[in-house]
Amino acid sequence: MGRTCWRLLQVWINTRGQHCYSKQPLGRGILPQTLCLRNIGSGGQDDSDGRNGSYSPESPQPSLEQLRTRRQPFGRLGGRGRPLSPLERISRLLPQDTLSQEVWELREGKEEDEVEGTQGGTGQGEGAAGASEGETPQVLGDRITDAQQQEKRLGERQEEERHAAEEEVEVSGIGQEEKPDPAGGDPAPALPGERPLIFGEIALAEYRKKGRLEFQKMFPLQEGGLLNSTWGLVPHSTMVGRPAGSTYLSSTGSPFLVRRPNLEEYVLFMKRGPTIAYPKDASAMLMMMDVTEGDCVLESGSGSGAMSLFLSRAVGTRGSVLSVEVREDHHRRAVANYHRWRTAWRLRRGEEWPDNVRFHNTDLRTATHLLAGQGFHSIALDMLNPHLVLPVVFPHLHNGAVCAVYLANVTQVIDLLEGIRFAGLPLMCERVLEVQLRDWLLAPAVQRRDGKHVTRIAPSHGNQEEEEARPDEERGAEESRTNEIRPFGALPYIARPHPEQGSHTAFLVKLRKVLPP
């Protein structure tokens, strides 16, 4: 039924065009009373002369000579293949006797090329030659079928070529001086030592709105992964092969900055069990202990591995860190975070992070075999009762060296000092401090009603009442001109402490080993 309706529509289009050519009026939406249809499934033929618009089953079948004389083109109007070319569509709208010889030659040449492309190499040269002169409806239907098959084969070949081209593209950041541009065009030049993001690395995504950080997330780059947030999705595949610090638009059009996290950010965003030693406190402890490359350091209380990573970077390849943790779950977490950072570092830099930390899951008070025959340039203690292990670790600390203790409560500081006094250890408390950081908000002042920058107002010598009496349109136009032309120093800035401040984290106690007189 569907094919019959389709054929009816085609016959009506042909009839309307032929009536227009014969200058015979045909009412809008009115079909001829007598139509000749052929059974498409049985391979029947249309019985019409196609000349004056009258159709009858008794009409004789036009000969090939008549078709050639009339110059009736046998295109794909009755077929279900590809649409007519622009040349065929335009030429069929014009009276056939007005077409020039060049147009007929182009149309016949195009038909011959299509037939040769379909039947080429099959030994059907005579059929191809006959298509330019004229052909029966049965041959026309076969040619349409061949054209459809040719189009299908062409689409399959193009699809195979596209897949082959995609497989040839390999994104590898090792030793590359150029990075492919996923948006197309020439590859973007890379600076010496700059490496693009690759799968397996750790990335940090940020979204800022009006200069304020609204979203921040650390995640590993994985094949088929998605950066999911309230402001849209960003596929991981779009980040691979691009340099760190690039901006990507999410599915909702929000800009996301994607870059590599530094060690401070990794420590803050990594998976943790117990509370970490925050970077501000860890840096102060490193200064207290005066850790340098090549030192041998003892750490008691691995926790989540934050301090272990900072110590590992400080001692370098020639140093070593002995980290002891009494709890098994904390020990596993510290080891996992440490190896995860080392893997990410190898992918981003192409070199190994120093494997200089030895983790042990034991109680330091009874682990005398671990400390036997060793000396430490400094000691870092992060535990509830550090005064209980000081008698064990004190003999292995170099003379004049420092033991830094990380304590959350001031009552723990009192217990530590009382334990040192009671045990009679030659440790001098040099200082007890609390590291405070205050973030400041510094940005150009903007108006809340429209978000435009505020302009610095110069003192006026005129009357204030006259200034207030000026029309609002005039003052608004002046403000617009001032916003467009902003000389240096014309914008006022707001400078005040940030409303979100980091609270207390810990007390740091600096103990130095001294020899008694």
Side-chain angles (χ1 to χ4, degrees), residues 86-334:
L87 174 63
E88 295 175 354
R89 289 199 301 268
I90 296 175
S91 61
R92 291 183 73 89
L93 297 177
L94 300 175
Q96 304 299 302
D97 54 356
T98 61
L99 298 180
S100 63
Q101 183 65 24
E102 290 80 3
V103 175
W104 284 107
E105 292 177 357
L106 288 175
R107 287 173 57 172
E108 292 179 356
K110 186 175 185 301
E111 292 176 0
E112 292 178 359
D113 294 341
E114 291 179 354
V115 175
E116 290 177 0
T118 306
Q119 301 178 351
T122 60
Q124 298 179 358
E126 296 179 1
S132 62
E133 302 295 336
E135 50 195 5
T136 65
Q138 179 65 33
V139 176
L140 177 61
D142 296 338
R143 205 184 85 180
I144 292 172
T145 304
D146 294 340
Q148 293 175 352
Q149 295 177 357
Q150 181 184 8
E151 182 179 7
K152 182 179 179 181
R153 289 195 298 268
L154 179 61
E156 293 175 353
R157 184 165 60 251
Q158 292 177 350
E159 188 71 15
E160 293 175 358
E161 293 175 355
R162 186 178 65 84
H163 286 300
E166 292 177 353
E167 292 175 357
E168 292 178 359
V169 177
E170 297 180 357
V171 180
S172 175
I174 302 177
Q176 290 185 350
E177 295 297 332
E178 294 183 349
K179 300 184 290 298
D181 186 6
D186 298 333
L191 295 175
E194 185 179 5
R195 303 165 64 88
L197 293 172
I198 61 176
F199 286 120
E201 277 197 77
I202 299 177
L204 182 68
E206 295 179 351
Y207 170 67
R208 296 179 181 270
K209 184 177 181 181
K210 296 182 179 180
R212 183 174 181 178
L213 183 62
E214 298 286 346
F215 174 82
Q216 196 172 31
K217 181 180 181 180
M218 187 176 70
F219 57 94
L221 292 174
Q222 300 174 349
E223 295 186 9
L226 287 174
L227 171 62
N228 191 2
S229 68
T230 309
W231 295 272
L233 304 174
V234 181
H236 291 185
S237 58
T238 60
M239 309 174 191
V240 174
R242 296 284 303 275
S246 301
T247 303
Y248 306 87
L249 294 180
S250 67
S251 57
T252 59
S254 302
F256 280 82
L257 173 65
V258 179
R259 57 182 178 85
R260 295 185 176 99
N262 55 29
L263 184 56
E264 175 186 0
E265 293 165 337
Y266 174 79
V267 166
L268 292 175
F269 287 99
M270 69 182 183
K271 295 182 180 180
R272 64 179 71 171
T275 304
I276 63 172
Y278 285 88
K280 66 182 184 66
D281 299 323
S283 60
M285 293 178 67
L286 292 176
M287 294 299 296
M288 280 184 179
M289 298 185 296
D290 194 23
V291 180
T292 58
E293 185 176 0
D295 285 357
C296 183
V297 183
L298 172 64
E299 179 193 15
S300 180
S302 304
S304 298
M307 194 64 191
S308 303
L309 285 168
F310 287 113
L311 289 172
S312 176
R313 183 172 65 176
V315 300
T317 56
R318 297 188 295 111
S320 63
V321 179
L322 177 61
S323 183
V324 181
E325 175 58 50
V326 65
R327 292 186 52 170
E328 184 179 359
D329 56 341
H330 294 177
H331 168 73
R332 290 197 304 267
R333 176 58 60 193

Side-chain angles (χ1 to χ4, degrees), residues 411-463:
T411 55
Q412 292 177 296
V413 178
I414 297 174
D415 293 341
L416 172 64
L417 299 180
E418 183 64 14
I420 294 174
R421 183 196 64 80
F422 182 79
L425 300 177
L427 292 172
M428 180 180 62
C429 179
E430 289 191 351
R431 62 187 308 188
V432 178
L433 61 93
E434 178 185 13
V435 179
Q436 293 281 356
L437 291 180
R438 174 176 291 182
D439 293 330
W440 281 72
L441 182 62
L442 187 64
V446 295
Q447 300 176 358
R448 290 189 176 182
R449 63 176 183 271
D450 52 8
K452 295 183 179 180
H453 288 91
V454 179
T455 305
R456 198 184 299 274
I457 302 177
S460 176
H461 296 286
N463 191 357

